[in-house]
Amino acid sequence: VQHLRWFKMAVTINGNTGVVTGLAALPDSAMASGSIIQVVNTGVTSTSSLNLTSISTWYTISSLDTTITTSSANSKILINAQIYGEADAADYVTCFKIVKVIGGTESDITNGIGDAASNRSRVNQVKSIGYFGDDQSSTPSTNVFAGLLDSPSQSASTAITYRLKVMIDEGSSKVFYVNRPVTDTDEASMERGISYMTLMEVAA
């Protein structure tokens, strides 16, 4: 049996069993600024569809809703997400943004979304172009949201849901298809994909 002294605390390592005694875990509040406290992930492999009935109206892709409960006060949330799919509309009119929900109130994240003026839409991204030969029914594409950092300024034990929303800024009565193309016949050119959202709590 070996005995070590660290910060005047006796630490015992039992050479026969490998058991270490005398160590206490540091609380989350003691972690260095910038440390990752926890990671929460939602992965979606199933397909679904969402009716976009009105122009410039945001609709929630609810299968990607991801909730993280803060372990530390005033921590930040690092967001990484991916959406794979296609709408029966031109890619350049299909837009995405990520929002947060705290206590039932939905709001834009503090960083990563554009400023607004007049009638201009505030978005995180426009759909990545998967356009080929005027074919808008079998060319899905992927949008990746990497390193969006939110500062919710909340106390510990606060549940925060982050969600992805989609809209079209031209036309109406369209449909967005998650993890599949618009046309879904059983052949190799009708690719299926995956979508996900990963949240990392970062110590303040």
Side-chain angles (χ1 to χ4, degrees):
V1 177
Q2 297 177 330
H3 294 274
L4 303 177
R5 294 283 178 177
W6 185 62
F7 292 127
K8 298 182 179 181
M9 178 185 294
V11 178
T12 301
I13 304 174
N14 190 313
N16 295 322
T17 65
V19 174
V20 180
T21 58
L23 288 177
L26 290 173
D28 292 330
S29 59
M31 297 186 71
S33 178
S35 299
I36 301 298
I37 299 174
Q38 63 168 316
V39 178
V40 178
N41 175 262
T42 297
V44 178
T45 59
S46 59
T47 61
S48 60
S49 60
L50 182 63
N51 293 321
L52 312 178
T53 56
S54 300
I55 186 174
S56 298
T57 299
W58 289 104
Y59 296 89
T60 298
I61 303 175
S62 58
S63 58
L64 282 174
D65 276 13
T66 304
T67 300
I68 189 167
T69 300
T70 56
S71 298
S72 182
N74 299 315
S75 54
K76 300 179 187 298
I77 306 297
L78 186 63
I79 307 162
N80 293 284
Q82 171 177 297
I83 179 67
Y84 177 87
E86 183 179 35
D88 58 351
D91 290 332
Y92 60 82
V93 304
T94 307
C95 305
F96 300 105
K97 73 173 178 177
I98 295 176
V99 302
K100 65 183 170 211
V101 182
I102 302 175
T105 300
E106 184 179 283
S107 60
D108 292 337
I109 60 175
T110 54
N111 300 308
I113 192 165
D115 196 2
S118 189
N119 293 317
R120 298 177 180 87
S121 300
R122 301 181 73 231
V123 306
N124 284 122
Q125 293 186 18
V126 175
K127 187 83 173 71
S128 297
I129 301 299
Y131 179 91
F132 175 75
D134 201 29
D135 179 358
Q136 295 167 12
S137 63
S138 64
T139 50
S141 59
T142 301
N143 279 63
V144 176
F145 306 82
L148 292 178
L149 187 65
D150 186 32
S151 302
S153 300
Q154 297 296 310
S155 60
S157 302
T158 299
I160 308 174
T161 298
Y162 288 86
R163 62 178 39 151
L164 183 63
K165 302 181 82 75
V166 59
M167 79 157 184
I168 50 172
D169 55 25
E170 289 182 11
S172 59
S173 299
K174 302 296 183 180
V175 181
F176 183 80
Y177 296 89
V178 177
N179 291 341
R180 51 160 281 195
V182 173
T183 301
D184 198 32
T185 54
D186 190 10
E187 55 186 83
S189 61
M190 303 300 170
E191 303 91 349
R192 295 285 182 90
I194 62 170
S195 303
Y196 64 82
M197 182 175 291
T198 302
L199 307 176
M200 291 176 276
E201 183 180 3
V202 182

